[in-house]
Amino acid sequence: MIAVIIIILVLFALAVIWLSINIQMELTGLNIWIKIMFFKVQVYPRPKASTAKTKKKTEKPAETEEKPRKPKEKMDYKGFARILLKAAGRIRRKLGINRLKFHYTAGGPDPADTALQYGRVSAAVYSLMPEVCRIFNVKHKDVSVSVDFDIEKPTVELDLSMGMYLWQIIYIGIFTLADFSKLKSNN
């Protein structure tokens, strides 16, 4: 009975644990976090490590005698690329984008160049957004391109939150490993 309860709890955890990556880019710089349910860990830029743990050892490793190496097996690059593309397709179908916020403000000292910059960026952004929404499952999007003739440099603000459930990651990993084992057994 206890084993059944444990199995049910594990399956429930796999069904509800959401893993996400949050990316924010502003004037201050780029920040990347990985979020697992309620726990948030900053990946980039890394937090500063304490100076007490950064002592370096000056010992040199003992020299070892070189052994003759076995010739490497030839790798099937086409099969490897096919497996990676199949895994990328699985990730694309399972990946959910919760929030996509992109604000661009064109600016510069010359008003004509600023207007041309605004036209190029708005054409690129507004032609790519339907494709991004078609390829990925985007829940909330906030995209705007504007122009400001009073600022000296263009500004970009990006806020992207994407993720998938833990069971989806395990599903993709299992099938990708199965494809790799098939490739390895065929060689």
Side-chain angles (χ1 to χ4, degrees), residues 114-131:
T114 303
L116 287 173
Q117 179 186 32
Y118 168 75
R120 289 184 191 122
V121 171
S122 64
V125 167
Y126 291 125
S127 64
L128 288 176
M129 278 313 296
E131 292 300 313

Side-chain angles (χ1 to χ4, degrees), residues 104-107 111 114-115 118 145-149 151:
Y104 183 87
T105 304
T114 303
Y118 168 75
V145 177
S146 60
V147 64
D148 187 359
F149 295 108
I151 61 174

Side-chain angles (χ1 to χ4, degrees), residues 37 50-51 80 84 97 106 131 168:
M37 296 281 292
S50 65
T51 57
F80 186 70
L84 289 180
I97 297 179
E131 292 300 313
Q168 293 171 327

